[in-house]
Amino acid sequence: ATCLNATVCTAGSRVVVPHNATANRQCATCPAGEVTASDNAASCTPCTGDTYQDQEGQAVCFNATVCTAGSRVVVPLNATTNRQCAACPAGEVTASNNLDSCTPCTGNTYQDQGGQ
């Protein structure tokens, strides 16, 4: 008789029950928003900063979309959802990235094009 190789919890999953001399290792898939990059990881790591992962069982987080100047955020970024953007309408602008709203032109200013 021979000893059996323990199950490998691959990247995108974590160890739920470690193996020992009489029992096999048990694994669980990382949920959306969390990842593991290596085999037999003890825990899944949340996507943080400017990253997300919208699928379960993944090894890496994706870089989020950047809403550039001239656009605004319409769907905010979180661990499971990418940021979505929309162009500012004519008469409104944004000067920096990832702003939640466009600023109306006031005083002696105007903008006759959208996305500015």
Side-chain angles (χ1 to χ4, degrees), residues 17 26 35 37 52 60 65 87 101 104 111 113-114 116:
V17 178
Q26 295 178 31
V35 298
Y52 74 100
V60 296
T65 296
S101 61
Q111 178 51 256
Q113 298 178 24
Q116 301 300 308

Side-chain angles (χ1 to χ4, degrees), residues 16-74:
V16 180
V17 178
H19 81 283
N20 60 40
T22 61
N24 196 3
R25 181 182 291 121
Q26 295 178 31
C27 311
T29 301
C30 292
E34 298 183 17
V35 298
T36 57
S38 60
D39 292 346
N40 298 323
S43 62
C44 301
T45 303
C47 296
T48 58
D50 226 23
T51 66
Y52 74 100
Q53 178 49 259
D54 57 358
Q55 298 178 31
E56 65 178 24
Q58 300 300 305
V60 296
C61 299
F62 296 125
N63 290 325
T65 296
V66 174
C67 297
T68 56
S71 66
R72 64 182 178 90
V73 176
V74 291

